[in-house]
Amino acid sequence: MGEPSALITGTGMSLPDNVVTNADLERIVDTSDEWITTRTGIHERRIERAGKPLSHYAIDASRKALDAAGIAAADLDLIILATVTPDMPIPATACTIQHELGNCTAAAFDLAAGCSGYIYAQSVAKQFLANGRCKHVLVIGAELLSKYLDWEDRSTCVIFADGAGATVMSAGAAPRGVLASAMHTDGSMADFISLPGGGTLNPPGQEMIDQRLHYIKMRGNETFKMAVRSLEEVCREVLDNAGLTPEDVDWLVPHQANQRIISAVGNRLKIPAERCYVNIDRIGNTSAASIPIALDEAVREGKIRDGQIVLMAAFGAGLTWAASVVRW
Ligand code: UT7
């Protein structure tokens, strides 16, 4: 018997009710529906306005994923929440989720890897499932990026959005499960995407607010170019490691960063648009939440089916990039 395989056995998602369209944004910043649509592919996004914290959405998504997997919170051995927008710095929001799920003694921690966070968390979960330490791991990607958006900065406030996605990963038997995964980081480009305030470098306070350091900053165009290059490379890397080629991929489920990035990566890999799952038009860029939200939609729509090869890839702050290939 080889080591156990890490299967994705359940998915769930949760979005704020409040829809913000491009026309709404035209009234806030100097932008246009035409610019946002052609440069990003986004038509509308969800923005949290009900005063609920991140954990509210993460818990809702998690309950749906547990239901879909057919297990109880008590069965979980580990909870990993990928996020850069936790409820608060201390304690980790994963601990709040563990408590609120009820009757759960799983170890729980947050993981920060920007938009690559979900794939990073999936890779960590895979290790614990493969070495037999865990049977069931809850892997969540959730963000309320709107809380840190500068509504005077048209280059960021039109793309980022809020939402949560969750997956249950369980120990199972090959040939299903995660076939290969890879994570990469290059900290020399840390200033491409950052939120400089609120940590120990620029502690919370009036000075931080006066300097507008509590807002997300992004060098979008440079990030865009790096994203296309590294996503192509990391996709080829995991496919090679799994003994597969892009032709074998039934579904590419990419981080929904920008429609033009998704199309460019699809073109380079020669994976046609019909095999690329895209929801950025309705959901926007929800950072670590985007892949688990897309997975949940694709599964519930009956697009992703058992036995299919699903390639996931993400890129984000750090800079970080990561991919995994799964036989569903
Ligand atoms: O989530 C993971 C990490 N993030 C990403 O992967 C995001 C990657 N980057 C992007 O998606 C794109 O770079 C953006 C959508 C953020 C920006 O698109 P771009 O085509 O790279 O635009 P740009 O930053 O090169 O700006 C081009 C022009 C500028 O005007 P000038 O200087 O040429 O007059 C901007 O001021 O577009 C202007 N611009 C806008 N105009 C109307 C920037 N944002 C807007 C806007 N509406 N919302």
Side-chain angles (χ1 to χ4, degrees):
M1 276 267 290
E3 63 183 21
S5 192
L7 275 57
I8 298 177
T9 50
T11 63
M13 65 182 271
S14 181
L15 298 174
D17 294 330
N18 180 43
V19 176
V20 173
T21 64
N22 292 348
D24 295 328
L25 290 174
E26 284 177 353
R27 290 189 280 275
I28 300 172
V29 282
D30 179 15
T31 191
S32 65
D33 176 42
E34 201 262 332
W35 193 94
I36 302 172
T37 304
T38 53
R39 306 306 292 168
T40 73
I42 302 170
H43 295 285
E44 60 181 45
R45 73 287 288 146
R46 302 298 181 95
I47 298 292
E48 210 290 323
R49 282 286 178 272
K52 300 267 200 300
L54 183 84
S55 55
H56 170 85
Y57 299 95
I59 291 162
D60 188 32
S62 298
R63 289 204 170 108
K64 292 171 184 164
L66 288 167
D67 274 357
I71 64 161
D75 299 322
L76 291 171
D77 303 301
L78 178 64
I79 299 172
I80 311 174
L81 169 66
T83 191
V84 290
T85 53
D87 283 6
M88 54 181 100
I90 305 171
T93 303
C95 305
T96 306
I97 295 169
Q98 185 241 37
H99 174 64
E100 293 290 331
L101 285 176
N103 192 24
C104 179
T105 54
F109 63 88
D110 292 0
L111 181 155
C115 303
S116 311
Y118 172 76
I119 303 288
Y120 266 61
Q122 199 192 73
S123 303
V124 175
K126 180 194 168 226
Q127 305 305 318
F128 283 100
L129 293 165
N131 69 18
R133 298 281 297 276
C134 293
K135 283 211 163 49
H136 300 288
V137 183
L138 179 61
V139 183
I140 310 160
E143 305 284 6
L144 293 185
L145 290 163
S146 69
K147 306 296 175 191
Y148 301 97
L149 284 177
D150 180 349
W151 295 99
E152 292 178 15
D153 177 2
R154 64 181 180 173
S155 70
T156 52
C157 75
V158 304
I159 80 161
F160 289 118
D162 300 336
T167 51
V168 172
M169 293 182 67
S170 305
R176 290 177 64 203
V178 180
L179 304 176
S181 52
M183 307 186 292
H184 296 284
T185 302
D186 186 342
S188 70
M189 289 171 277
D191 63 339
F192 278 27
I193 310 169
S194 66
L195 197 170
T200 51
L201 180 64
N202 300 293
Q206 197 54 50
E207 196 180 330
M208 174 199 84
I209 291 172
D210 291 345
Q211 292 176 18
R212 306 175 76 78
L213 299 178
H214 55 307
Y215 291 131
I216 291 171
K217 326 270 177 205
M218 182 168 70
R219 286 159 59 178
N221 205 266
E222 288 141 293
T223 305
F224 187 106
K225 289 175 191 147
M226 264 301 291
V228 174
R229 206 165 44 237
S230 20
L231 284 170
E232 182 196 359
E233 275 172 20
V234 77
C235 283
R236 291 194 189 282
E237 178 186 350
V238 291
L239 288 172
D240 272 0
N241 290 344
L244 298 170
T245 70
E247 274 187 17
D248 298 316
V249 174
D250 293 296
W251 285 105
L252 170 62
V253 181
H255 166 45
Q256 310 285 310
N258 182 317
Q259 175 63 62
R260 289 185 297 134
I261 294 177
I262 297 172
S263 303
V265 173
N267 285 341
R268 285 174 178 222
L269 293 172
K270 297 199 171 53
I271 296 178
E274 314 85 79
R275 289 197 272 134
C276 244
Y277 192 84
V278 174
N279 63 13
I280 191 170
D281 51 324
R282 293 175 285 113
I283 309 282
N285 179 338
T286 57
S287 187
S290 87
I291 289 179
I293 289 173
L295 285 177
D296 184 56
E297 286 192 345
V299 168
R300 286 177 200 270
E301 287 164 9
K303 290 187 166 149
I304 293 181
R305 294 191 306 272
D306 284 358
Q308 288 189 325
I309 297 293
V310 180
L311 174 63
M312 305 167 217
F315 178 91
L319 296 177
T320 57
W321 59 103
S324 71
V325 59
V326 172
R327 188 184 300 278
W328 205 265

